[in-house]
Amino acid sequence: MKPLHLTGDEPFFIVLNTGSGRDDASDVQATIQRVLDEAGRRYTLMPVHDGRQLPAMAQEAVARAREQGGIVVAAGGDGTLSAVAQTVLSSGLPFGILPQGTFNYFGRTYGIAQDTELATRCLLAAQPQPVQVGLVNDRLFLINASLGLYPQLLEDREAYKQRYGRSRLVAVWSALVTLARAHRQLTVQLEHAGQVRTLRTPTIVVGNNELQLEQIGIAESAALQQGQLVAMGVRPVGTWALYGLVLRGWLSRLGDADHVFSFGFEHLTVRVSRTKRRIKVALDGEIHWLDAPLEFRVSDQPLQLLVPPPSLRAERV
């Protein structure tokens, strides 16, 4: 699909999650307003104070953008971007982002600055580029989807952030504490490319972000360029071995570990033994309950993401 082309006059409809990020929401809002006012660009800020309101606000933004030939913009962490993108995807509208989260893998992948002022200025010069998104049971994810241990890590991380603040150090510390506990092993059946295999693992993660996969050292990251997703898992190990895997991830060598498996795929069915009809799944850091079995695939329709020109792109650090 060819990318859309913008004239530069389209109005922005900005869904702003006031609970995302380390910066004060009022400062973020004031910065966005100042930059867009100076540029003379039409916009509507649509603050969301409760994450549960994101889908409804995204639907309103999409409806207004359709009526006025506009652009939907999401301002928040990766979970916020994913929630708004879920609604934008089927509309075919251009989608802009103003990253506000802790890791911001999605924005960093496409050279979008983590600084609000820089990101807003880049938004003015950006043009839509079709980008791949993953689906699990038709629920969208931009970075990854996971079940088992990884969703527990995310739930504990959010609890630590609420208590100690949002930072990468807090995220790492909460992960170490979570891994120190005993964890249930899942018995899963993986079906793809006409083959079925059964294995035990504490977690299954499906990735759709090249930057994240490269940083932890998963060689199959190149599969994303071929229109695939990447599945990863860990064979049953003890706590100290899990700590070792975390260390390997920090050193970008996770894929070298004997206990780790990974592979690219176009379609993957995951069945969990002894599970009820619904499975807890983390999508870009947000917890959802989905019907079993889980069907992973790449969306037939790409997301029309606003990407800054090469001269304005931030480094992928």
Side-chain angles (χ1 to χ4, degrees):
M1 178 183 292
K2 293 183 179 180
L4 304 173
H5 182 76
L6 304 180
T7 65
D9 295 325
E10 295 83 0
F12 293 126
F13 295 90
I14 306 170
V15 180
L16 170 63
N17 186 349
T18 61
S20 293
R22 291 170 289 179
D23 298 328
D24 184 87
S26 60
D27 292 341
V28 170
Q29 185 166 324
T31 298
I32 295 171
Q33 290 174 317
R34 174 172 52 80
V35 172
L36 296 182
D37 286 341
E38 290 175 353
R41 190 66 172 263
R42 291 178 295 155
Y43 67 93
T44 300
L45 270 174
M46 308 172 71
V48 175
H49 306 295
D50 184 339
R52 292 171 295 184
Q53 299 171 347
L54 277 171
M57 191 65 80
Q59 289 175 359
E60 181 179 345
V62 166
R64 297 176 69 174
R66 275 176 166 164
E67 291 173 358
Q68 301 182 40
I71 297 166
V72 178
V73 179
D78 284 331
T80 298
L81 308 186
S82 180
V84 179
Q86 174 78 38
T87 302
V88 174
L89 181 65
S90 61
S91 73
L93 289 168
F95 178 60
I97 65 171
L98 297 172
Q100 302 291 315
T102 303
F103 293 97
N104 297 321
Y105 277 115
F106 187 62
R108 289 160 59 201
T109 296
Y110 298 99
I112 298 171
Q114 300 181 69
D115 176 81
T116 301
E117 180 167 348
L118 289 176
T120 307
R121 293 190 185 283
C122 288
L123 193 63
L124 293 166
Q127 287 290 332
Q129 172 183 315
V131 303
Q132 173 177 297
V133 297
L135 297 176
V136 52
N137 293 14
D138 294 325
R139 292 284 311 193
L140 175 147
F141 60 95
L142 303 173
I143 311 299
N144 60 48
S146 58
L147 60 150
L149 175 59
Y150 195 65
Q152 186 61 53
L153 286 169
L154 294 176
E155 287 186 322
D156 291 348
R157 185 180 77 185
E158 188 59 31
Y160 270 70
K161 285 181 178 180
Q162 293 291 333
R163 184 172 181 179
Y164 299 111
R166 294 183 177 274
S167 73
R168 296 188 185 186
L169 181 60
V170 170
V172 170
W173 176 249
S174 70
L176 295 176
V177 173
T178 302
L179 293 177
R181 305 171 187 162
H183 299 288
R184 181 171 69 94
Q185 301 291 327
L186 302 176
T187 300
V188 298
Q189 185 183 79
L190 306 180
E191 180 179 347
H192 74 101
Q195 298 182 339
V196 179
R197 61 170 166 166
T198 301
L199 54 86
R200 286 175 57 78
T201 178
T203 191
I204 294 289
V205 180
V206 174
N208 181 53
N209 184 264
E210 188 174 359
L211 176 60
Q212 186 182 57
L213 295 178
E214 288 176 352
Q215 287 192 344
I216 63 176
I218 298 297
E220 284 82 2
S221 61
L224 301 179
Q225 299 295 331
Q226 302 170 12
Q228 296 185 325
L229 300 172
V230 176
M232 301 163 281
V234 179
R235 296 180 178 85
V237 294
T239 297
W240 287 107
L242 286 174
Y243 282 152
L245 294 177
V246 171
L247 178 59
R248 282 180 176 271
W250 288 342
L251 298 174
S252 301
R253 295 178 54 196
L254 184 61
D256 296 337
D258 293 336
H259 298 298
V260 173
F261 62 88
S262 58
F263 57 90
F265 67 88
E266 296 178 357
H267 185 278
L268 173 68
T269 301
V270 178
R271 296 180 174 85
V272 182
S273 298
R274 299 181 182 178
T275 189
K276 297 181 180 179
R277 295 176 58 186
R278 295 173 68 78
I279 301 173
K280 182 192 293 186
V281 181
L283 303 176
D284 295 333
E286 301 295 328
I287 304 299
H288 300 266
W289 287 90
L290 304 182
D291 293 334
L294 301 178
E295 302 284 350
F296 292 91
R297 64 182 177 89
V298 173
S299 170
D300 295 331
Q301 182 173 7
L303 189 66
Q304 294 287 349
L305 178 68
L306 265 64
V307 176
S311 62
L312 297 179
R313 291 178 192 173
E315 293 185 11
R316 300 191 343 171
V317 295

